Amino acid sequence: MAQTIAFAGKGGTGKTTIAGLLIDRLTHEGKGPILAVDADPNSNLNEVLGVEAGQTLGEIREAIAHAELDGASTLPTGVSKQDYAEFSFGDALLEAGSYDLLVMGRTQGQGCYCYVNGLLKTLIAKYARDYEYIVVDNEAGLEHISRGILPKMDVLLLVSDCSRRGVQAAGRLGVMADELGLRPQTVGLIINRAPGSLREDLDPGIREEIALQKLGCIGVVPSDETVYHYDAEGRPTVSLPSDNPVRRAVDAIGKKLGL
């Protein structure tokens, strides 16, 4: 089975940028095939990677859920819900060379989604066997993993900004993972957008909070204006030069994880 690496953190911490750069590192190290999963409805992993997103699993889920209510009248004639799900899943899987991208899309609306979630879980488990790594950019709530739709994670990377409140939020996510029974083999904290004076060593107050939250910090990613300018210009983050400090910091995190 593939090794699943999941990113989590409150909105705005930059976890999507780090997830995208880690995926890019894995591809350049020849450690594919890789399945990249955008599991955050507010995320734009495809933009970080520089590819166009297609149909989302949320759209497939809505179509099948409506078919449940309408007696399958909304599906193509003669097509079962299971066949439609499998066909649509293959269409939603974007092949981008050394990795594939799957966008989960919006969370479910009103009504019962047990049947369609079961279908998606089965399909993802089937496809997961074809990959060495699955890298998941989650929303903070870890919904898709906690529901069992995505494979159980092996590595949980909690991304925080360089603040006490951010580290406290990451600590709560770590507790949530325990409460949900996810039990990843490795849990690591990444401090992102550290100011210049803190690139080499975190402020004592931040280190104290990390210890209070019982988190192991596996990397500090500096603040860098180039990342901002790339985003403003619509350029994919993975096209950052090899000597960019953010890319170098993510490469160091990958090495620590043995990736």
Side-chain angles (χ1 to χ4, degrees):
M1 290 295 292
Q3 181 179 11
T4 301
I5 304 165
F7 285 83
K10 67 178 184 177
T13 57
K15 63 182 182 300
T16 301
T17 295
I18 298 174
L21 288 173
L22 184 65
I23 291 166
D24 194 55
R25 170 184 168 77
L26 287 170
T27 62
H28 281 90
E29 291 292 316
K31 295 191 175 181
I34 302 156
L35 175 62
V37 181
D38 187 343
D40 186 345
N42 298 315
S43 182
N44 296 289
L45 183 58
N46 66 295
E47 294 180 7
V48 170
L49 295 170
V51 295
E52 292 289 333
Q55 186 180 27
T56 72
L57 291 196
E59 292 168 345
I60 298 171
R61 178 165 51 193
E62 291 297 317
I64 299 174
H66 290 157
E68 282 279 280
L69 296 174
D70 301 336
S73 61
T74 56
L75 298 184
T77 304
V79 177
S80 70
K81 292 186 286 293
Q82 184 169 350
D83 288 342
Y84 177 82
E86 187 152 4
F87 172 81
S88 299
F89 187 95
D91 193 47
L93 196 65
L94 174 66
E95 298 180 359
S98 53
Y99 68 88
D100 295 339
L101 174 65
L102 189 64
V103 180
M104 300 299 291
R106 65 183 294 273
T107 54
Q108 55 206 41
Q110 296 180 346
C112 179
Y113 286 75
C114 297
Y115 175 78
V116 62
N117 283 345
L119 279 179
L120 293 179
K121 178 179 178 180
T122 300
L123 285 171
I124 290 173
K126 173 185 173 182
Y127 277 81
R129 294 193 292 266
D130 298 329
Y131 299 97
E132 291 293 325
Y133 293 95
I134 300 175
V135 181
V136 185
D137 180 24
N138 280 286
E139 60 180 342
L142 301 170
E143 176 190 353
H144 296 295
I145 289 178
S146 65
R147 289 178 181 272
I149 298 173
L150 291 173
K152 186 176 179 180
M153 59 188 171
D154 301 295
V155 179
L156 174 60
L157 299 177
L158 303 170
V159 182
S160 170
D161 56 19
C162 195
S163 70
R164 275 186 174 267
R165 291 189 298 275
V167 174
Q168 289 165 2
R172 288 192 290 271
L173 286 172
V175 171
M176 180 189 298
D178 284 339
E179 291 175 347
L180 292 171
L182 299 178
R183 297 183 181 86
Q185 297 173 8
T186 302
V187 178
L189 173 69
I190 298 173
I191 299 294
N192 193 28
R193 298 180 184 142
S197 61
L198 299 181
R199 292 183 184 185
E200 300 302 326
D201 191 19
L202 293 173
D203 184 274
I206 301 301
R207 285 190 276 115
E208 178 186 51
E209 191 61 49
I210 292 172
L212 287 172
Q213 298 298 325
K214 300 179 181 179
L215 296 171
C217 183
I218 65 165
V220 178
V221 180
S223 178
D224 181 71
E225 289 189 3
T226 307
V227 174
Y228 166 77
H229 289 306
Y230 270 45
D231 179 70
E233 296 167 7
R235 299 169 66 182
T237 312
V238 295
S239 62
L240 285 168
S242 59
D243 61 349
N244 178 268
V246 171
R247 182 183 284 281
R248 290 205 309 265
V250 174
D251 283 346
I253 291 169
K255 289 179 182 177
K256 284 187 179 180
L257 293 170
L259 303 176

